[in-house]
Amino acid sequence: LHDSARRMKVCVRTIKGRMVSIVGERWTMLESLSGIGFAAPAGIDPRRLDALRAALPAKASKSLRAPDPYFAGKELAALARIALIADEIGEAELAKGYRGSLAEAIGGWMHGNNSDPLVYDTVWGGIISTAGWKSPGADFGNGRYNDHHFHYGY
């Protein structure tokens, strides 16, 4: 705790232990994070490889249609995961194709030429959707920073 910080009497039990309320003007927080990779932690069951190889090409033609960051994030994350699975089972050409589709789809968001471009909010200093900027309820409250862990965390 910094010198200006004061512990308060309010405590709450959480899944990470006892949470104690603290009042202060400056914060330094340390949180140890576990290592997380993208590959299957225990590998892919060899008995499933043929089924995966058979299913992957069908996913290549899956169109990405969602116009808003919430549902587009889900679609983009699914395509990225399929590319990683293709890599993991040695289907490099399929993985390359998925990454190309992913880059093309993300391009609309990055270049601001899709139907709901992302914009920089100069008031709060964050990225929000144009629709969310114009209307508090649009895109599940994206312009009010609601659910950004969903919109951009997939």
Side-chain angles (χ1 to χ4, degrees), residues 37-88:
F38 291 108
I44 295 175
D45 183 339
R47 296 172 295 175
R48 306 283 186 227
L49 290 175
D50 288 340
L52 279 173
R53 283 193 176 94
L56 283 175
K59 300 294 183 186
S61 61
K62 181 180 178 346
S63 62
L64 303 173
R65 300 174 195 227
D68 63 271
Y70 178 83
F71 289 108
K74 287 180 145 195
E75 290 179 347
L76 294 168
L79 185 58
R81 184 68 194 129
I82 291 167
L84 290 169
I85 291 168
D87 276 331
E88 195 167 350

Side-chain angles (χ1 to χ4, degrees), residues 67-134:
D68 63 271
Y70 178 83
F71 289 108
K74 287 180 145 195
E75 290 179 347
L76 294 168
L79 185 58
R81 184 68 194 129
I82 291 167
L84 290 169
I85 291 168
D87 276 331
E88 195 167 350
I89 65 171
E91 295 292 338
E93 284 303 308
L94 278 175
K96 182 179 177 182
Y98 296 134
R99 282 191 291 276
S101 298
L102 191 59
E104 185 179 323
I106 288 174
W109 293 99
M110 297 295 105
H111 301 297
N113 57 9
N114 64 355
S115 62
D116 189 8
L118 301 177
V119 294
Y120 180 71
D121 173 9
T122 58
V123 175
W124 291 99
I127 304 295
I128 58 175
S129 66
T130 299
W133 178 59
K134 293 177 181 177

